Amino acid sequence: RFQIQRGKTDPTGYRSLGDCFRTIFQREGLLGFYKGILPPILAETPKRAVKFFTFEQYKKLLGYASLPPGLAFAVAGLGSGLTEAVVVNPFEVVKVTLQANRNAFAEQPSSFVQARQIIRTDGLGFQGLNKGLTATLGRHGVFNMVYFGFYFNVKNILPVNKDPNLEFLRKFGIGLVSGTIASIINIPFDVAKSRIQGPQPVPGEIKYRTCFKTMATVYKEEGFLALYKGLVPKIMRLGPG
């Protein structure tokens, strides 16, 4: 929700992450934090399957290119992320639309009703259910490139521990650092995606249209740190994951 804000002039904008949490709880109740939860649940299984299956396939293909292992892992991660983005983007459009709805949880449409409404109004293309695809490609592509590249290279450098508990901590620590670094690097794409897929500042006018132009607009109007809105909850979600 914090990333969807429409700039400093947004009268309903949140002053900070804490203010965002307090306002949602006061106006929309506890269930307000769970708006748009169904699309991610529906997308999670195919998303994970596509991510890891395609990563292995790209890695095999890159084996024929005689690339250094470190670069091969990163490029395979980039390929898997781009493929994953195509699968999850329609779910993201529905999720962001539901999360941007500031009515009470019980008053908003269901995920399926919202999806039908998007298709009926704007179709299946880049103005409808696949809106913001370029930003989603950037978000998932960059994240997976950094994550897989860092994780497998560092994991191969640090020695395996014979103690299963310490070995678990070794892998968990590497994964946590990998997810954190990847989240920091790719979050400008995430902010751009949320702005493009969320409600526009002026109804009927499209301000946030393309990925890099949206980044430039956010930077110009709100400053560099606006491109990192929502970083803390993003790290809390993706770092441990």
Side-chain angles (χ1 to χ4, degrees):
R1 182 74 72 85
F2 199 53
Q3 294 174 340
I4 304 174
Q5 295 190 104
R6 296 170 289 188
K8 295 179 179 179
T9 58
D10 185 355
T12 59
Y14 305 109
R15 295 188 301 273
S16 65
L17 186 60
D19 179 58
C20 179
F21 275 97
R22 285 193 300 271
T23 304
I24 291 173
F25 181 75
Q26 291 170 356
R27 295 180 180 175
E28 303 167 39
L30 182 63
L31 291 178
F33 293 109
Y34 293 89
K35 285 182 173 180
I37 192 173
L38 184 58
I41 290 176
L42 294 175
E44 191 63 24
T45 298
K47 168 188 169 183
R48 296 288 178 177
V50 168
K51 178 200 287 268
F52 290 104
F53 174 76
T54 57
F55 174 73
E56 293 298 327
Q57 301 310 307
Y58 288 129
K59 191 170 66 172
K60 289 179 183 178
L61 289 174
L62 290 167
Y64 297 106
S66 300
L67 293 176
L71 181 59
F73 286 131
V75 175
L78 174 62
S80 70
L82 295 176
T83 309
E84 175 190 32
V86 175
V87 174
V88 304
N89 192 68
F91 296 94
E92 287 290 322
V93 171
V94 177
K95 183 195 76 170
V96 171
T97 304
L98 291 170
Q99 289 177 341
N101 186 329
R102 303 200 180 189
N103 294 328
F105 185 89
E107 297 174 358
Q108 72 170 15
S110 69
S111 298
F112 296 105
V113 169
Q114 186 67 67
R116 284 199 302 269
Q117 183 176 336
I118 293 172
I119 294 171
R120 188 183 306 115
T121 304
D122 300 307
L124 296 169
F126 297 132
Q127 299 301 320
L129 208 58
N130 275 290
K131 181 167 55 176
L133 178 60
T134 303
T136 305
L137 288 169
R139 183 181 79 155
H140 287 266
V142 170
F143 182 91
N144 285 1
M145 178 180 68
V146 176
Y147 178 83
F148 282 115
F150 185 91
Y151 179 83
F152 282 103
N153 282 286
V154 174
K155 187 168 76 73
N156 291 334
I157 294 172
L158 297 180
V160 176
N161 203 300
K162 294 181 179 180
D163 186 323
N165 293 324
L166 293 177
E167 175 62 11
F168 167 78
L169 290 176
R170 181 184 78 97
K171 290 182 178 178
F172 179 81
I174 297 171
L176 177 63
V177 174
S178 302
T180 300
I181 294 174
S183 297
I184 293 171
I185 294 175
N186 89 323
I187 193 170
F189 290 97
D190 206 355
V191 171
K193 182 192 79 69
S194 297
R195 296 296 180 93
I196 294 168
Q197 295 176 344
Q200 300 293 316
V202 179
E205 296 182 11
I206 300 178
K207 178 178 181 179
Y208 304 116
R209 186 183 299 273
T210 61
C211 177
F212 292 104
K213 187 175 180 180
T214 296
M215 287 185 191
T217 300
V218 172
Y219 172 76
K220 181 179 178 181
E221 295 183 354
E222 303 172 48
F224 178 73
L225 292 179
L227 293 171
Y228 290 84
K229 282 185 175 180
L231 178 60
V232 173
K234 182 180 176 69
I235 290 175
M236 292 172 66
R237 176 171 66 93
L238 292 177

